[in-house]
Amino acid sequence: MAAKGPVDTEPPHKLFDTLLVVDFGSQYSHLITRRLRDLNIYCELLPCTQSISDLSFRPKGVILSGGPYSVYDTGSPHVDPAVFKLDIPILGICYGLQEIAWQHDQENVLAGEKREYGNASLTFERQHGAQSSVNELFTGIIEDINVFMSHGDKLSKLPEGFSTIATTRNAPFAGIAHVSKPYYGIQFHPEVSHTSQGSRILENFAVRICKARQNWTMEEFVGKEISRIRALVGEKGQVIGAVSGGVDSTVAAKLMHEAIGKRFHAVLVDNGVLRMNEAEEVKKTLTEHLGINLTVVDASDRFLDDLKGITDPEQKRKIIGRNFIEIFQETARKITAAAAGSPESGDIEWLLQGTLYPDVIESISFRGPSQTIKTHHNVGGLPAAMHLKLIEPLRELFKDEVRILGTKLGIPDNLVWRHPFPGPGLAIRILGEVTRERVELVRQADKIFIEEIRKENLYREISQAFAALSTANVVGVMGDKRVYQPVIFLRAVETTDFMTASFYKFNWSFLDKVSSRIVNEVSGVCRVMYDTTSKPPGTIEME
């Protein structure tokens, strides 16, 4: 897997043609990024507060996302006007269309008399002659298409210098294009599956209009990333790696092992909130199957003691994050001392984490802390006094890209397709206080749930499944005796990018079997419930 050619130490946006997605807070913004990645086009999502002058790269084009605001309201977010001076193509989607029109003339947007949500029929307005270039966004789409709309505001008039290229029954300016500049705006959402030919429209913009190369693949990424790691770490530098047995940390560890070999030290911290037999299984997997040197640190008492009496999920995450880093620092010093005098005697300066792009996106807030969904263990809640530098080789990847990368690195399928497990572990699947007794209840229920899923050959169909524990007790009858015990929640979802997800639709006989096993085999539980909430409005994890 060694990379050939000159060593690259630059991030992907310096190595690949990159589109910039400017986020105005739409629930669909991440899907724009995801659809472009599916087309082998690299792109990044940044908040609309991003200053153009502070960008460290020059994008091939910019996409302005949708958003829940009205451009004419005081306090509504706006893109840096300098984006229009970059002389690069710009595509506005929904709110982004209105933002383009508003930036040209603030009288261009008003509240619509009729809102338009759901499917709509889009009619193309083909331009001819000198203005025919404005049709490029819809190249290859011959007939009118169904699109997904989600807007209340609309354009009051066509901005100066633009032509109409598409309409719907309620939106006379559903698609517009500048006659001389590569600026386009569409009122509908091409990124959602409900819009037919949506990917084609995004591809037309990225490839035909922005001239972006479609070379973002894991084959291209792996060699460049290995070279980048080697250049960052140096010839003697050492890295300590956080592993959990999940696909993210396993792929990150294998990638690091490929890059620097024995100078990578994998460490599993048993924080007392791992799944049943997790530490033993991870050690066997990483050492026997992947050849990685692993140190297991049993810090379960330390974590559980610090979590005593804590019920707030953010506090749980930060306590776990703080202890996690402190233990890694302590372990790094021990490994450094043990390696003194050997050929691998460089200092341990780096901490590996398996942060993914959805973690980064969900931790970005452009409207202040109140808009942040949650602090991710891998990107937030870490102490300022951390003495190790972070190295996050998967930071720009979505989950399915990580799995493709894992396969390229030779990791067995049963590991590549293992369901994700959060950094804070069962602590965020136990609502309320985390105690040793409550951890054991969740472990047993989770083991039963996953066992039955595997028996039915459903594991690969489901993206993530787990058991969680409620805060409140409920009344039950066990052996003719009235009991007052907690509830186990079962959660299973289907998703491709983990930014949106749908609950998995088990048949009732399966849920009946799992429920029966849990209440009979897990002492201290009298009731089981299945969570039928999708994301959004829910999150995948409970906390």
Side-chain angles (χ1 to χ4, degrees):
M1 284 289 177
K4 298 179 180 179
V7 173
D8 289 314
T9 60
E10 302 286 2
H13 58 235
K14 292 289 187 73
L15 303 176
F16 296 88
D17 288 350
T18 301
L19 264 67
L20 171 63
V21 178
V22 176
D23 179 26
F24 287 98
S26 169
Q27 62 179 315
Y28 306 121
S29 295
H30 68 280
L31 289 178
I32 305 171
T33 308
R34 195 67 211 86
R35 298 294 173 259
L36 289 169
R37 296 279 188 94
D38 286 341
L39 297 167
N40 301 121
I41 300 162
Y42 185 70
C43 59
E44 292 187 0
L45 184 146
L46 291 174
C48 59
T49 50
Q50 174 68 45
S51 170
I52 296 301
S53 63
D54 290 340
L55 275 180
S56 60
F57 65 100
R58 180 179 173 81
K60 296 289 288 185
V62 172
I63 296 178
L64 309 180
S65 83
Y69 309 97
S70 294
V71 292
Y72 48 76
D73 283 346
T74 302
S76 290
H78 295 289
V79 71
D80 183 349
V83 73
F84 296 100
K85 298 179 181 179
L86 289 177
D87 193 30
I88 58 175
I90 298 174
L91 171 64
I93 295 175
C94 196
Y95 183 93
L97 157 72
Q98 296 161 16
E99 176 71 2
I100 291 174
W102 186 88
Q103 290 278 355
H104 281 77
D105 182 347
Q106 295 185 12
E107 300 297 322
N108 280 336
V109 184
L110 50 71
E113 295 177 2
K114 295 181 179 179
R115 296 183 177 184
E116 197 170 23
Y117 295 112
N119 292 327
S121 179
L122 187 78
T123 299
F124 299 117
E125 299 286 334
R126 308 287 183 183
Q127 302 296 323
H128 303 284
Q131 295 186 12
S132 60
S133 62
V134 301
N135 300 323
E136 276 198 286
L137 192 64
F138 300 134
T139 297
I141 306 174
I142 300 173
E143 299 179 349
D144 296 347
I145 58 174
N146 288 322
V147 298
F148 182 78
M149 290 284 197
S150 180
H151 69 99
D153 296 337
K154 67 177 183 179
L155 302 195
S156 59
K157 58 182 178 179
L158 192 65
E160 185 177 351
F162 283 77
S163 289
T164 301
I165 57 175
T167 64
T168 69
R169 185 175 181 180
N170 293 323
F173 307 115
I176 64 173
H178 199 281
V179 297
S180 60
K181 299 177 182 179
Y183 298 162
Y184 298 81
I186 50 179
Q187 189 62 73
F188 59 93
H189 289 271
E191 69 273 25
V192 302
S193 59
H194 306 295
T195 293
S196 61
Q197 302 286 338
S199 290
R200 181 63 176 268
I201 293 168
L202 291 173
E203 184 175 15
N204 283 340
F205 177 72
V207 179
R208 295 183 63 88
I209 297 170
C210 298
K211 310 299 182 187
R213 290 173 294 175
Q214 293 173 276
N215 61 346
W216 171 252
T217 64
M218 289 304 96
E219 290 90 343
E220 287 287 326
F221 172 80
V222 66
K224 289 180 168 60
E225 188 59 23
I226 286 174
S227 294
R228 189 181 77 87
I229 291 168
R230 288 172 177 165
L232 281 174
V233 175
E235 294 183 358
K236 286 195 173 183
Q238 299 189 69
V239 178
I240 191 168
V243 297
S244 66
V247 61
D248 304 341
S249 65
T250 300
V251 172
K254 180 62 174 175
L255 186 61
M256 194 62 60
H257 181 71
E258 291 288 329
I260 62 173
K262 294 181 179 179
R263 291 185 289 127
F264 168 61
H265 307 274
V267 176
L268 170 67
V269 176
D270 185 347
N271 55 15
V273 285
L274 299 178
R275 289 170 289 198
M276 188 170 288
N277 302 321
E278 187 92 48
E280 295 84 355
E281 291 176 5
V282 171
K283 184 174 182 179
K284 182 177 180 180
T285 294
L286 295 188
T287 56
E288 294 184 13
H289 295 286
L290 301 180
I292 295 171
N293 183 35
L294 176 68
T295 298
V296 179
V297 180
D298 185 357
S300 53
D301 288 341
R302 178 170 169 175
F303 279 88
L304 290 171
D305 287 346
D306 276 7
L307 288 169
K308 187 176 181 180
I310 303 299
T311 59
D312 179 75
E314 279 296 287
Q315 283 188 275
K316 291 182 188 178
R317 288 176 179 275
K318 290 185 178 181
I319 287 170
I320 289 170
R322 185 190 68 242
N323 278 298
F324 169 80
I325 293 299
E326 289 174 355
I327 290 167
F328 260 74
Q329 290 175 328
E330 295 164 6
T331 306
R333 285 192 289 270
K334 293 177 182 177
I335 293 174
T336 299
S342 71
E344 296 85 27
S345 59
D347 290 336
I348 293 180
E349 300 177 349
W350 298 90
L351 168 65
L352 171 69
Q353 285 194 340
T355 308
L356 301 192
Y357 202 50
D359 300 336
V360 177
I361 291 173
E362 288 193 349
S363 296
I364 288 174
S365 171
F366 71 85
R367 299 290 286 176
S370 64
Q371 294 296 311
T372 300
I373 297 171
K374 60 186 175 183
T375 300
H376 276 273
H377 173 59
N378 284 348
V379 293
L382 305 182
M386 194 178 91
H387 300 299
L388 298 173
K389 294 176 284 188
L390 283 179
I391 185 166
E392 301 170 300
L394 311 181
R395 187 180 176 89
E396 286 85 16
L397 306 186
F398 286 92
K399 179 72 71 175
D400 58 318
E401 292 174 319
V402 172
R403 288 195 165 116
I404 294 171
L405 176 60
T407 300
K408 299 294 179 188
L409 290 168
I411 298 174
D413 276 357
N414 66 310
L415 300 180
V416 170
W417 289 95
R418 193 178 188 194
H419 289 180
F421 189 62
L426 299 177
I428 59 170
R429 295 178 179 175
I430 297 172
L431 281 64
E433 184 180 8
V434 178
T435 66
R436 288 168 176 79
E437 295 76 20
R438 302 188 85 214
V439 169
E440 191 58 31
L441 290 180
V442 174
R443 279 179 176 161
Q444 294 180 41
D446 187 78
K447 182 175 182 292
I448 291 169
F449 190 28
I450 299 302
E451 279 180 356
E452 292 299 330
I453 286 173
R454 289 188 182 279
K455 285 180 184 177
E456 297 294 325
N457 295 316
L458 298 174
Y459 193 78
R460 285 281 293 269
E461 287 185 27
I462 297 167
S463 305
Q464 190 167 345
F466 59 87
L469 187 67
S470 69
T471 53
N473 290 350
V474 296
V475 174
V477 178
M478 306 284 286
D480 295 326
K481 180 181 178 182
R482 183 180 183 276
V483 296
Y484 194 53
Q485 296 174 337
V487 177
I488 286 290
F489 292 111
L490 302 179
R491 179 99 164 116
V493 298
E494 295 177 284
T495 180
T496 56
D497 53 24
F498 287 84
M499 297 298 295
T500 60
S502 301
F503 72 89
Y504 189 82
K505 298 172 180 61
F506 291 110
N507 61 54
W508 290 115
S509 61
F510 174 85
L511 290 174
D512 182 40
K513 183 194 303 183
V514 173
S515 177
S516 178
R517 279 198 62 189
I518 290 174
V519 296
N520 280 285
E521 297 177 31
V522 182
S523 178
V525 172
C526 69
R527 194 171 300 191
V528 177
M529 295 185 179
Y530 183 59
D531 186 347
T532 60
T533 311
S534 293
K535 175 186 179 181
T539 56
I540 293 177
E541 293 292 344
M542 291 295 186
E543 294 187 336

